[in-house]
């Protein structure tokens, strides 16, 4: 029954995406039209910025420097299934799934926020992403720089490191991630991103582990065709800063398939979690031992606040 439900969900999402592809194409054309108006308007021409360093706001698990446009709402569903090596016993992991459901919103073209809930550890999370610098086409800024601040709340039972006679405060449940996203689009087929990261735990067994996990992440996209791209990301946790024992560095590879403005993201990863804390600091599976998880990201974009520049446009999306 679980397998049938999974297939039905996947087919329904695919058909729905194809049906809305024409609308998404119109949105893309409007976005390009608005950008051209911004760059050509006024007496003095404005700098031409690089567009589409990445095709989505995430590489696999990690955020990219891409932001949603102002007034755009993104409803995201992400799945990470059980280990593929489980074989037919759990249908190669498809019978076991971790799910994150999230809502992301573009307040400004340079400011994006999001909220989500993950079934792994019963975790609520939120983030804010600011684009500080933007790569230009020819001369000037050679890369795009964004800052990501995310926080998550553990809503499950108190961990066993808390003595029975000690209170478990709400602040003990909080985790924070500070991350810089530094990306450059080298040409039409290659984009790379560097991600220095600090994950802070409010509560930790300090006799064994560190409150601050320091990691260096790298990711990228290689465009194989107009609609297909190969993606990957890797996070190296600095030795001595681990938050728990027996963890491994997160490694993920995937394929982005673009369909009329949508991007399907299919991938393999050794991380079961989808928040910065879980996939950077708490990955316990190892690629070398074949402990891989198949997963995918699906999103549906809605225009909540129509930009005033579109009101007189010949293209209509309503």
């Amino acid at each position: 029954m679980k397998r049938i439900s999974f297939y039905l969900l996947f087919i329904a999402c695919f058909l729905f995406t194809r049906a809305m592809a024409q609308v998404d194409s119109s949105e893309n054309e409007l976005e390009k039209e608005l950008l051209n108006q911004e760059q050509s308007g006024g007496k003095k021409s404005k700098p031409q910025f690089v567009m589409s360093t990445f095709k989505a706001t995430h590489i696999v698990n990690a955020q990219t420097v891409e932001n949603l446009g102002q007034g755009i709402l993104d409803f995201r569903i992400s799945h990470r299934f059980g280990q593929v090596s489980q074989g037919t016993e759990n249908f190669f992991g498809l019978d076991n799934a971790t799910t994150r459901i999230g809502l992301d919103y573009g307040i400004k073209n340079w400011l994006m926020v999001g909220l989500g809930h993950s079934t792994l550890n019963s975790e609520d999370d939120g983030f804010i992403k600011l684009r500080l610098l933007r790569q230009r086409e020819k001369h000037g800024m050679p890369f795009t720089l964004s800052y990501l601040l995310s926080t998550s709340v553990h809503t499950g039972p108190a961990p066993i490191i808390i003595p029975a006679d000690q209170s478990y405060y709400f602040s003990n449940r909080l985790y924070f991630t500070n991350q810089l996203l530094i990306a450059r689009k080298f040409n039409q087929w290659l984009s790379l991103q560097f991600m220095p990261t600090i994950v802070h735990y409010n509560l930790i067994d300090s006799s064994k582990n560190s409150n601050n996990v320091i990691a260096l992440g790298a990711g990228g996209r290689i465009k194989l065709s107009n609609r297909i791209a190969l993606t990957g990301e890797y996070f190296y946790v600095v030795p001595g800063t681990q938050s728990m024992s027996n963890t491994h560095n997160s490694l993920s590879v995937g394929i982005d398939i673009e369909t009329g403005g949508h991007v399907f993201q299919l991938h393999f990863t050794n991380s079961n979690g989808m928040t910065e804390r879980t996939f950077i600091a708490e990955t316990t599976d190892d690629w070398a031992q074949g402990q891989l998880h198949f997963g995918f990201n699906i999103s549906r974009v809605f225009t909540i606040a129509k930009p005033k520049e579109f009101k007189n446009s010949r293209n209509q999306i309503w």
Side-chain angles (χ1 to χ4, degrees):
M1 188 66 183
K2 292 181 179 179
R3 300 177 191 176
I4 295 175
S5 298
F6 165 76
Y7 290 136
L8 291 176
L9 173 63
F10 191 85
I11 293 172
C13 291
F14 179 78
L15 294 176
F16 181 73
T17 298
R18 296 298 298 175
M20 299 301 294
Q22 186 176 358
V23 174
D24 287 326
S25 298
S26 299
E27 291 177 353
N28 285 348
E29 292 300 322
L30 287 174
E31 182 180 359
K32 293 178 181 178
E33 181 178 328
L34 174 59
L35 185 62
N36 291 333
Q37 291 175 0
E38 291 178 348
Q39 293 176 348
S40 61
K43 297 181 180 180
K44 186 177 180 180
S45 61
K46 295 183 179 180
Q48 295 184 354
F49 296 111
V50 169
M51 296 181 62
S52 301
T53 303
F54 293 90
K55 273 296 184 179
T57 58
H58 289 72
I59 303 176
V60 175
N61 294 313
Q63 296 256 9
T64 70
V65 292
E66 298 298 328
N67 276 26
L68 296 173
Q70 181 177 348
I72 302 299
L73 178 70
D74 185 9
F75 175 61
R76 299 182 61 85
I77 299 178
S78 300
H79 276 287
R80 303 294 181 269
F81 297 97
Q83 293 181 15
V84 177
S85 59
Q86 291 176 336
T88 56
E89 179 181 352
N90 287 304
F91 200 59
F92 302 97
L94 295 183
D95 285 345
N96 299 327
T98 298
T99 304
R100 181 185 179 274
I101 298 178
L103 286 173
D104 300 346
Y105 184 71
I107 298 177
K108 296 288 186 180
N109 290 332
W110 53 269
L111 176 60
M112 173 180 165
V113 297
L115 295 172
H117 176 79
S118 176
T119 58
L120 182 65
N121 298 326
S122 186
E123 182 179 28
D124 297 325
D125 68 275
F127 72 86
I128 178 171
K129 183 166 64 173
L130 298 91
R131 186 171 59 211
L132 305 176
L133 300 172
R134 192 172 181 184
Q135 182 182 348
R136 296 187 181 182
E137 283 285 357
K138 295 182 179 180
H139 305 289
M141 184 56 56
F143 57 85
T144 299
L145 172 66
S146 295
Y147 168 69
L148 176 72
L149 171 62
S150 66
T151 183
S152 60
V153 182
H154 175 71
T155 61
I160 59 176
I161 63 174
I162 295 293
D165 60 345
Q166 182 176 328
S167 299
Y168 186 50
Y169 300 103
F170 176 76
S171 59
N172 296 145
R173 298 178 175 272
L174 299 179
Y175 310 86
F176 301 92
T177 299
N178 289 273
Q179 187 175 71
L180 288 177
L181 308 173
I182 308 167
R184 176 173 172 81
K185 185 176 183 180
F186 290 90
N187 48 50
Q188 292 300 316
W189 62 272
L190 177 63
S191 299
L192 297 177
Q193 181 170 290
F194 181 60
M195 298 165 283
T197 307
I198 297 178
V199 180
H200 176 78
Y201 284 67
N202 271 5
L203 177 67
I204 204 74
D205 187 350
S206 58
S207 64
K208 299 179 181 179
N209 305 110
S210 172
N211 285 83
N212 294 309
V213 179
I214 301 175
L216 302 176
R221 178 183 75 133
I222 299 176
K223 194 173 182 180
L224 303 179
S225 70
N226 288 335
R227 295 188 178 274
I228 299 177
L230 178 66
T231 60
E233 64 186 42
Y234 177 74
F235 282 89
Y236 173 77
V237 177
V238 176
T241 68
Q242 291 89 345
S243 64
M244 53 189 291
S245 303
N246 301 319
T247 59
H248 298 277
N249 295 328
S250 175
L251 173 62
S252 308
V253 294
I255 293 180
D256 286 2
I257 304 174
E258 184 183 359
T259 58
H262 264 288
V263 179
F264 278 109
Q265 296 183 304
L266 311 175
H267 41 256
F268 288 94
T269 176
N270 63 328
S271 301
N272 203 25
M274 288 159 281
T275 61
E276 283 73 23
R277 171 180 73 94
T278 53
F279 72 81
I280 295 176
E282 298 184 5
T283 293
T284 57
D285 292 332
D286 187 3
W287 270 77
Q289 298 182 22
Q291 297 171 336
L292 307 181
H293 304 265
F294 171 69
F296 61 84
N297 301 328
I298 296 178
S299 68
R300 174 64 247 173
V301 174
F302 302 90
T303 302
I304 302 300
K306 187 177 180 181
K308 61 181 180 180
E309 291 86 352
F310 290 170
K311 291 182 178 180
N312 297 324
S313 173
R314 290 175 298 177
N315 295 318
Q316 299 295 326
I317 61 175
W318 298 96

